[in-house]
Amino acid sequence: MQLTTLARHALSRGATPAATYALIARLGHPPLPVARAVCLALDIPLAETTRRLAECYDALLADPRPDSENDTGELLEALGVFDIPKSLTDTELAVVEQFLVAIDAMGGIRPGHRHGLQRWFTTGNLTTAYLSLAAAHPVPRTGDPALYWATLVTAGELLTAAPSPDTRIKYALAHCRDRAART
């Protein structure tokens, strides 16, 4: 049975991508083809799959330790290797552009926060990204607070213009407007 077909079958039975990776890898298949099969079974395009796997190949897939299939699958999932990209509308792309300006205006961002934001952009979870940025603050010495808060106000206005916006966005937008007015 082809690995991608096997991965599709496991996923259709409710297995998570991490568990699917572990299941197939425990059957004795090499890590890279297994990870590729899971990505392809999730309909992640081959070029994107190749890019993602190249980024983590040396650390996770080149020299697997015995009995590490579960850990490797969970790490691949946590790194976003199995994140299914969402096609964004023009408005959503404009929101992401505003987020990128805000990130620059932050003057510095923790790597974990940047990684989470990148995953939310990929999967189209812009509400969570907005709430995360609205709860953060620009770095005092290197950031540009006026630009940061103004950009988040613009992003929030775009998000609230969508049909049935999440109520949390409205509260976060009010917070950002208040911060923008103070700077």
Side-chain angles (χ1 to χ4, degrees):
M1 183 180 271
Q2 184 187 34
L3 293 180
T4 304
T5 303
L6 186 58
R8 270 196 189 98
H9 179 73
L11 292 165
S12 73
R13 297 277 193 180
T16 65
T20 300
Y21 171 88
L23 170 74
I24 298 171
R26 276 195 301 273
L27 295 174
H29 298 286
L32 182 60
V34 172
R36 183 181 303 116
V38 174
C39 287
L40 295 176
L42 292 166
D43 294 325
I44 299 170
L46 181 59
E48 179 65 11
T49 293
T50 301
R51 184 193 66 74
R52 291 178 187 190
L53 294 176
E55 289 178 355
C56 65
Y57 177 77
D58 290 335
L60 292 174
L61 304 171
D63 189 24
R65 290 178 291 139
D67 300 322
S68 65
E69 297 88 356
N70 287 338
D71 293 339
T72 301
E74 289 175 13
L75 281 169
L76 289 169
E77 195 165 290
L79 290 171
V81 171
F82 301 138
D83 285 352
I84 300 168
K86 178 186 181 270
S87 293
L88 301 177
T89 66
D90 289 343
T91 301
E92 290 170 329
L93 288 171
V95 169
V96 170
E97 286 300 318
Q98 293 297 310
F99 288 164
L100 295 174
V101 171
I103 291 167
D104 286 342
M106 234 176 166
I109 187 169
R110 295 181 337 270
H113 191 190
R114 180 177 294 278
H115 175 71
L117 288 165
Q118 188 58 49
R119 289 188 71 190
W120 296 324
F121 299 164
T122 299
T123 60
N125 192 348
L126 302 184
T127 296
T128 302
Y130 184 72
L131 296 174
S132 173
L133 288 168
H137 299 281
V139 177
R141 280 190 243 155
T142 58
D144 182 344
L147 179 59
Y148 182 76
W149 295 113
T151 304
L152 288 182
V153 167
T154 301
E157 289 170 347
L158 288 169
L159 288 169
T160 57
S164 304
D166 189 313
T167 305
R168 298 173 299 165
I169 293 174
K170 293 177 183 178
Y171 290 115
L173 175 56
H175 168 74
C176 292
R177 282 185 176 138
D178 179 58
R179 297 303 302 237
R182 290 192 214 177
T183 51

